[in-house]
Amino acid sequence: MPCLPMIQLPMIPTCGGCGKRKKRDVNATQVVTSSESSCTDPELRKLILKNMQNNILKSRNAIARAANSHFNGTAEFIAFCMPGRMENFVTSMASFCVDGSPSQSCYLFKSD
């Protein structure tokens, strides 16, 4: 029987986590502690205050829609709202704002 030549197979690269989600770089994380509003852009504050509704879900949707429209879809903005005042939060976003009313606070940020 003839002998078959050896076949050299390529090395399989290591996956560095093999399907697990990689952690984001958190070097730019900042802790914000404030009983007042905190904004990196005054336009974001205006958008939050102008689009507050009497319902948290409606506020969130109106604020996100207004921000995406205001910036002509050049960036994606995400909003979330909660009852009461948001006094402490951690963010790694460069462009964000937290403001609202005594009954609800909304956090608006530009997605990276």
Side-chain angles (χ1 to χ4, degrees):
M1 221 179 208
C3 200
L4 296 175
M6 291 282 277
I7 300 174
Q8 184 73 357
L9 297 175
M11 293 292 293
I12 299 173
T14 60
C15 61
C18 296
K20 294 181 182 177
R21 187 174 172 189
K22 294 179 181 149
K23 292 184 179 182
R24 293 183 179 141
D25 184 17
V26 292
N27 292 338
T29 301
Q30 59 180 330
V31 177
V32 179
T33 304
S34 174
S35 58
E36 299 297 318
S37 63
S38 180
C39 295
T40 59
D41 182 344
E43 288 297 312
L44 298 180
R45 174 179 282 129
K46 290 177 190 175
L47 290 168
I48 289 174
L49 296 176
K50 183 177 179 183
N51 291 283
M52 295 288 292
Q53 307 288 320
N54 59 357
N55 174 292
I56 291 172
L57 183 60
K58 288 180 182 178
S59 292
R60 181 200 70 188
N61 293 341
I63 292 166
R65 197 174 320 115
N68 288 313
S69 174
H70 180 77
F71 291 98
N72 299 319
T74 57
E76 181 181 2
F77 284 85
I78 299 170
F80 70 85
C81 300
M82 60 179 269
R85 298 296 297 171
M86 187 180 310
E87 301 211 5
N88 301 315
F89 63 96
V90 176
T91 186
S92 61
M93 300 300 163
S95 182
F96 68 90
C97 185
V98 174
D99 209 334
S101 67
S103 63
Q104 65 178 296
S105 297
C106 294
Y107 175 43
L108 176 64
F109 63 93
K110 184 169 83 171
S111 176
D112 289 337

